[in-house]
Amino acid sequence: MIYSSLLFIYGFFPLSLLIYFLLPKGMQRTGLLLMSMVFCGAFGTKYLLTFFGCTVINYTLGRIMGQMRKNGSRFTWIPLVAGLSADMLMLFVFRARLPGILKPSFAESSFPLGVSFLSLSVMGYLMDVYRGKCNAERNIVSFCLYTMYFPRLIMGPLLRYDIFRKAVRSRDPSLEEIGVGMSLFVKGLAKKVLAADNLFMMYNAVRSVEISKLSALSAWLGALAYVLCLYFTLSGFADMGTGISYCFGIKLVQSFNYPMLSSRIKFFASKWHMQLICWFRRYISRPLKTLTEKPWLRDLIFVFSWCMAGFWYKFDLGGLIWGAMIGGAMLLESKIIKKKILKATGMIYTFLLVQIFGVFLAGDSAAGSLHYIIVMFGGTRQLADSFTIYLLRSYLVILLVSVYASTDLFRNMMMRTGGAVIRKVITAATPFIVTAVLLICTVFMSYSGSSEMILMQL
Amino acid sequence: MKKKTNALTAVFSLTVMFVFLLTTIFMPKKKTSENENRPLAELPELSSDNLSEGEYTHGLSRYFTDHFAGRDVWISAQALAEQQICESIVNGVYISDSRLLDAGVSQRQVSMTYADYINRYAEENSGAVYMAAIPTSVGVYGDLLPEHLLSNSERDQISRFYDGLAGSIRKIDAYNILKMLSDNYIYYRSDNKWTSYGAYCVYRTVIQKLGFQPTSYDKYTISHITDAFRGELYIKSQYMRSKPDIIDVYSYPEGTEILSCTGTDSSGNIHECSIYNSSALETPDMYRFYMGYGYPEYNIKTSLNNDRRLLVICDDTAYCFIPFLTQHYSEIEVLSPEYMEGGIESYTDTDEYEQTLFIFGIDTLCENGEEFNSTP
């Protein structure tokens, strides 16, 4: 039962809201946890057990570490290493394409959606406790809620434990918050159902043609469709999660800040999946950088942390290369482009570079991706063919709308426009727009009941 | 102002969610969907088994979706909307201006199980064996599909299948016959299958190979049985703007009469029936008008006294083809492996027939071929 399904939107979600608001405030946290466990269990009790087991192990190790720290023990690193290896192991068992013998049978048949986020969250928690940045949690209910909180279970925003704890404590549910939450949720839903699903069809159409028969322009369109689809899938789920959470009065942060129209790779990177990138900076590059003063080593560490982020996305060489290229491009940028370049030039350069990098995330193998990039630059000696025209004719509207929606142009217009009238009209129309979009998304989900395409299993 | 609109947003969206939740729960439930021509999902049973893998939720989601308030309206709206904003593919059906086509044709793989079976059959029986693989509408009208959906055409699928057949089997090139006549109404617009006219065109060639002169077209009286046939591609896509189809009956009053037609069900009971099942016209699945009783075996006896008997082994693509054959044989035995339990030999003695005709839609030949696994 993922967020973009009829059963969730017209079943689980309204019911959970009803229960939540009927409960007295003191019980709400436990109520949320129980509902989250039901949500988790809906993917299978095996899934619930995995999550619960992971929670208990990390909770216990956190407690042990907290106690050891208090006693001034020199061996606090032992539970840390144990915990990190357990979490890493979990991540690898589920994500890596291991040969049959190495892969335990329970990990074979099903993939617990969100396990990649879970492992990062708990690893971050352990490291924070180790460094004293965060107190070890005593209350297991609170900790369970952190790991299983259903609005962030499926690729929702990745949060540090202390931030989450604060958000839950200062929750303030109200009708207005539900309104804000629903607007966000519907925005995310539209990103997923209207944009991402259709872009995926387009990407699939390009992928179904042999690479050596593609024309350059078709290849570019395919890459564009993939990158946009990835952006709308990830940010759609993040928005849906944040929106649901707002309805419960728990304010989480945004994950994406319109990265697609940036004038530097640097700015793109700082707006793309912010919490996730922040995690890799906080727990990988920053601690490593304290070890050395040499600038070239520090640069290497910087690129390495991006490689890790890329690897986390894909769990293969392609992901690693994607990370290395983004990190490398940022390094080069900081060394070479000292002067200000024209904003428009910067935007075009960033946009194109992001498409090219994206090919490595999309491809099944690094060699295949390389071949694809060669085709993008005219490897088949064909600029465009009838397929390009077919793609443009079929998808022009969706492409234009989604490119526009992926930029911050609309938000800027809302914030900066001189005429307060437009702003007022749009604000007044919001309730109608939100309801209409919700109904339109329902139309698109009505046949199969859900839109489950997720592009990446995270 | 901002606060008020937020509250209003909340009220609106909550109303929508709860209205559909409550109507979905409390509306009377239907067992089958007429529009989609299929039984609707039932509430799954709770057990530790289906909980552990999430099967239960899957079933529940299926149930909730099937019984969602106003489902029929929602899905026809989906077909219209999807066709507007992206490629014209709705639920695996390609919507062209003139007809609906199966968009998944390239994903099909020819299964050699059928070819092996027919080879074995030809070896073990002394009679002549004929094989006709009939393309579906996407085979003949594939040009309407965008290129990337057509990497593996039905022409290739059929020739690959024929390559797998032994030399002694006489193969009928239905593909080229139909392809040449593609300007005529030989395929339904909303279904994968051929029309009676398409079947007639192939019959002219088949019957000559079987050793008869075909009945000429002008001898037939053609009557339109219905002009409201909605085929399986329509049912799948629910694309309302597609035109309904016409079902025809070709009768030859001066020709041979059908004396009896009996169907045997899988438990061996014999039923009186007719080669045309008029009661099917009252149901959404009108194609069952052609012998669509779901019996694995039919036996047709005609007034002709030439002692010629024919065994036809086929799927339901061939059912509209059978009426043309009745002009030439005193007895026709029709077997449909897809409705059978057990092998063909339990229904009839295959060695008694001088001629055996296999007619299958190429889409059937591409499935896994389980029903053919029994040895002859």
Side-chain angles (χ1 to χ4, degrees):
Chain A
M1 180 172 51
I2 64 175
Y3 306 143
S4 49
S5 70
L6 296 183
L7 185 61
F8 181 80
I9 300 171
Y10 295 101
F12 187 86
F13 186 25
L15 285 179
S16 64
L17 272 178
L18 189 69
I19 296 170
Y20 183 75
F21 281 92
L22 287 179
L23 286 174
K25 194 154 189 209
M27 299 278 289
Q28 280 176 344
R29 212 174 49 176
T30 322
L32 263 183
L33 176 61
L34 287 177
M35 288 186 283
S36 298
M37 288 175 106
V38 170
F39 185 83
C40 239
F43 289 94
T45 39
K46 257 170 44 177
Y47 184 99
L48 180 65
L49 284 178
T50 311
F51 271 61
F52 193 69
C54 166
T55 309
V56 170
I57 290 173
N58 286 287
Y59 168 80
T60 319
L61 288 171
R63 286 290 301 270
I64 293 173
M65 258 197 293
Q67 202 60 42
M68 284 169 102
R69 267 186 73 85
K70 219 191 256 167
N71 301 341
S73 163
R74 282 187 7 242
F75 299 104
T76 334
W77 58 270
I78 296 178
L80 176 73
V81 170
L84 292 184
S85 0
D87 296 333
M88 244 33 136
L89 186 70
M90 176 178 77
L91 187 61
F92 268 87
V93 160
F94 283 111
R95 289 291 305 278
R97 283 181 221 131
L98 298 171
I101 320 157
L102 286 172
K103 196 137 183 148
S105 59
F106 66 89
E108 231 165 43
S109 55
S110 55
F111 177 81
L113 208 56
V115 76
S116 317
F117 284 89
L118 173 74
S119 55
L120 290 193
S121 313
V122 288
M123 280 195 267
Y125 165 73
L126 287 182
M127 284 191 264
D128 277 345
V129 173
Y130 175 76
R131 293 190 298 184
K133 297 264 166 74
C134 160
N135 292 331
E137 178 61 60
R138 291 164 169 278
N139 187 336
I140 187 140
V141 173
S142 300
F143 193 70
C144 271
L145 190 60
Y146 175 59
T147 51
M148 292 192 216
Y149 185 51
F150 80 87
R152 58 148 286 275
L153 198 66
I154 305 173
M155 315 209 276
L158 182 72
L159 289 174
R160 290 209 325 260
Y161 183 62
D162 45 337
I163 295 180
F164 181 78
R165 187 159 49 182
K166 234 179 264 164
V168 173
R169 271 198 201 131
S170 60
R171 69 182 179 277
D172 175 26
S174 68
L175 198 60
E176 286 86 47
E177 292 292 314
I178 294 185
V180 177
M182 280 312 295
S183 318
L184 249 176
F185 176 77
V186 170
K187 185 172 142 195
L189 186 67
K191 279 182 177 176
K192 170 72 185 67
V193 175
L194 302 182
D197 283 0
N198 288 312
L199 289 164
F200 183 69
M201 267 181 82
M202 175 173 174
Y203 163 64
N204 240 348
V206 177
R207 209 174 49 166
S208 67
V209 179
E210 267 175 61
I211 296 181
S212 50
K213 285 183 186 155
L214 274 176
S215 64
L217 217 55
S218 306
W220 276 100
L221 285 173
L224 177 64
Y226 178 82
V227 171
L228 284 175
C229 178
L230 182 66
Y231 165 70
F232 281 114
T233 310
L234 292 175
S235 76
F237 274 105
D239 281 357
M240 282 191 267
T242 318
I244 300 163
S245 190
Y246 257 83
C247 291
F248 295 113
I250 298 172
K251 292 174 192 161
L252 307 182
V253 279
Q254 297 263 30
S255 292
F256 288 83
N257 187 17
Y258 305 99
M260 297 310 286
L261 205 65
S262 311
S263 53
R264 297 274 180 86
I265 291 289
K266 188 172 108 192
F267 300 138
F268 167 81
S270 65
K271 294 174 188 173
W272 175 271
H273 228 171
M274 294 180 289
Q275 279 80 45
L276 184 84
I277 300 311
C278 192
W279 190 97
F280 283 95
R281 192 167 55 231
R282 187 182 164 92
Y283 299 110
I284 293 189
S285 60
R286 219 178 273 160
L288 283 179
K289 273 183 187 171
T290 54
L291 299 176
T292 173
E293 285 294 322
K294 287 188 187 110
W296 67 271
L297 257 178
R298 289 177 144 235
D299 288 348
L300 205 66
I301 289 167
F302 172 77
V303 176
F304 172 74
S305 80
W306 271 96
C307 288
M308 286 295 103
F311 188 69
W312 179 86
Y313 275 120
K314 275 279 283 191
F315 257 76
D316 65 6
L317 186 64
L320 216 63
I321 295 177
W322 178 82
M325 288 181 110
I326 296 256
M330 280 160 75
L331 262 187
L332 284 179
E333 248 174 17
S334 66
K335 303 246 152 68
I336 297 171
I337 313 176
K338 289 265 158 52
K339 273 183 282 177
K340 260 195 167 176
I341 49 167
L342 210 61
K343 211 174 168 198
T345 324
M347 279 175 184
I348 293 170
Y349 131 85
T350 312
F351 194 74
L352 296 184
L353 223 50
V354 167
Q355 317 300 325
I356 296 169
F357 295 167
V359 173
F360 283 100
L361 277 186
D364 295 326
S365 70
S369 303
L370 215 56
H371 187 185
Y372 191 91
I373 290 175
I374 293 171
V375 172
M376 283 166 82
F377 287 98
T380 47
R381 294 175 191 284
Q382 220 179 2
L383 184 64
D385 55 7
S386 59
F387 182 55
T388 320
I389 295 165
Y390 169 81
L391 281 178
L392 282 174
R393 212 183 47 213
S394 307
Y395 289 104
L396 192 64
V397 177
I398 204 89
L399 268 182
L400 290 179
V401 171
S402 53
V403 167
Y404 178 73
S406 70
T407 66
D408 49 4
L409 295 173
F410 181 74
R411 188 192 56 181
N412 289 351
M413 188 188 84
M414 282 292 281
M415 276 162 50
R416 289 181 202 154
T417 178
V421 186
I422 305 176
R423 228 179 313 172
K424 263 190 186 157
V425 169
I426 292 179
T427 316
T430 312
F432 301 97
I433 296 172
V434 169
T435 318
V437 175
L438 176 64
L439 291 175
I440 292 171
C441 291
T442 311
V443 165
F444 277 83
M445 287 184 294
S446 61
Y447 186 79
S448 59
S450 62
S451 113
E452 302 210 340
M453 183 284 301
I454 43 172
L455 213 59
M456 276 181 181
Q457 287 203 315
L458 294 176
Chain B
M1 169 111 177
K2 189 94 193 167
K3 265 197 157 178
K4 264 189 211 157
T5 52
N6 278 339
L8 207 60
T9 310
V11 172
F12 277 19
S13 44
L14 287 179
T15 317
V16 170
M17 291 197 298
F18 276 101
V19 163
F20 281 104
L21 172 64
L22 294 176
T23 40
T24 305
I25 292 178
F26 291 111
M27 236 180 11
K29 304 280 181 289
K30 284 189 289 185
K31 278 227 164 358
T32 54
S33 160
E34 297 216 332
N35 266 334
E36 294 174 70
N37 186 28
R38 64 179 178 91
L40 294 174
E42 284 174 28
L43 205 57
E45 267 175 51
L46 250 173
S47 72
S48 60
D49 239 16
N50 61 17
L51 272 177
S52 82
E53 291 278 354
E55 285 296 312
Y56 179 77
T57 322
H58 202 75
L60 192 66
S61 180
R62 213 40 280 163
Y63 176 80
F64 194 83
T65 309
D66 274 5
H67 298 278
F68 192 67
R71 173 171 169 89
D72 290 346
V73 183
W74 288 114
I75 55 181
S76 44
Q78 181 188 10
L80 291 179
E82 238 172 77
Q83 198 248 348
Q84 283 302 320
I85 69 164
C86 65
E87 262 178 294
S88 308
I89 302 170
V90 180
N91 305 325
V93 176
Y94 181 80
I95 297 170
S96 76
D97 292 337
S98 52
R99 57 176 62 247
L100 304 178
L101 290 167
D102 178 6
V105 58
S106 298
Q107 269 120 49
R108 285 196 222 135
Q109 285 306 327
V110 174
S111 152
M112 280 303 150
T113 335
Y114 290 84
D116 293 344
Y117 176 83
I118 296 169
N119 289 339
R120 249 183 297 140
Y121 181 95
E123 246 172 60
E124 289 167 27
N125 293 281
S126 51
V129 176
Y130 302 81
M131 168 72 207
I134 310 300
T136 67
S137 59
V138 72
V140 175
Y141 298 99
D143 305 345
L144 295 172
L145 280 188
E147 261 171 87
H148 70 284
L149 294 177
L150 210 60
S151 55
N152 170 16
S153 74
E154 285 196 350
R155 206 175 91 151
D156 301 341
Q157 292 171 7
I158 291 173
S159 61
R160 211 167 308 141
F161 183 81
Y162 280 176
D163 288 346
L165 290 180
S168 63
I169 296 162
R170 288 158 223 197
K171 299 150 198 116
I172 292 144
D173 182 12
Y175 177 83
N176 279 319
I177 301 171
L178 292 164
K179 184 78 189 172
M180 271 191 318
L181 294 162
S182 61
D183 288 341
N184 300 294
Y185 190 56
I186 52 170
Y187 277 91
Y188 296 115
R189 285 182 292 256
S190 63
D191 202 288
N192 280 321
K193 296 190 193 72
W194 55 0
T195 61
S196 279
Y197 184 64
Y200 173 75
C201 298
V202 175
Y203 148 80
R204 277 190 308 209
T205 308
V206 171
I207 207 69
Q208 282 176 6
K209 291 218 175 192
L210 290 166
F212 299 94
Q213 278 301 312
T215 312
S216 66
Y217 187 69
D218 48 23
K219 286 190 181 153
Y220 283 106
T221 322
I222 299 159
S223 39
H224 298 327
I225 296 301
T226 175
D227 55 4
F229 169 50
R230 298 285 207 174
E232 58 180 307
L233 294 173
Y234 168 79
I235 284 165
K236 232 168 125 189
S237 66
Q238 293 286 315
Y239 182 62
M240 284 193 301
R241 291 210 193 132
S242 68
K243 272 196 234 153
D245 276 298
I246 302 164
I247 289 184
D248 286 336
V249 162
Y250 282 55
S251 50
Y252 179 25
E254 292 87 48
T256 316
E257 249 181 280
I258 292 170
L259 295 180
S260 76
C261 173
T262 54
T264 313
D265 63 25
S266 46
S267 41
N269 305 320
I270 296 174
H271 304 265
E272 280 292 319
C273 54
S274 147
I275 55 169
Y276 300 115
N277 173 12
S278 319
S279 64
L281 297 175
E282 312 298 318
T283 68
D285 190 6
M286 290 188 194
Y287 188 78
R288 291 196 303 115
F289 174 71
Y290 299 109
M291 300 171 69
Y293 302 95
Y295 300 139
E297 180 196 0
Y298 296 91
N299 186 280
I300 301 162
K301 292 203 168 71
T302 69
S303 57
L304 210 63
N305 273 328
N306 62 356
D307 255 359
R308 299 287 300 264
R309 299 171 72 212
L310 175 71
L311 174 62
V312 182
I313 299 176
C314 62
D315 62 358
D316 42 3
T317 303
Y319 283 164
C320 68
F321 185 84
I322 307 286
F324 297 108
L325 296 172
T326 57
Q327 293 301 324
H328 308 280
Y329 289 90
S330 62
E331 189 184 337
I332 297 174
E333 173 84 2
V334 181
L335 294 176
S336 304
E338 63 181 304
Y339 300 112
M340 272 182 196
E341 290 164 18
I344 284 171
E345 72 284 358
S346 59
Y347 290 89
T348 188
D349 184 2
T350 52
D351 223 14
E352 277 180 22
Y353 297 90
E354 281 168 27
Q355 292 175 317
T356 305
L357 173 62
F358 286 87
I359 304 188
F360 283 93
I362 187 68
D363 50 339
T364 310
L365 299 175
C366 287
E367 286 157 8
N368 51 17
E370 263 169 47
E371 59 261 31
F372 252 13
N373 277 342
S374 52
T375 47

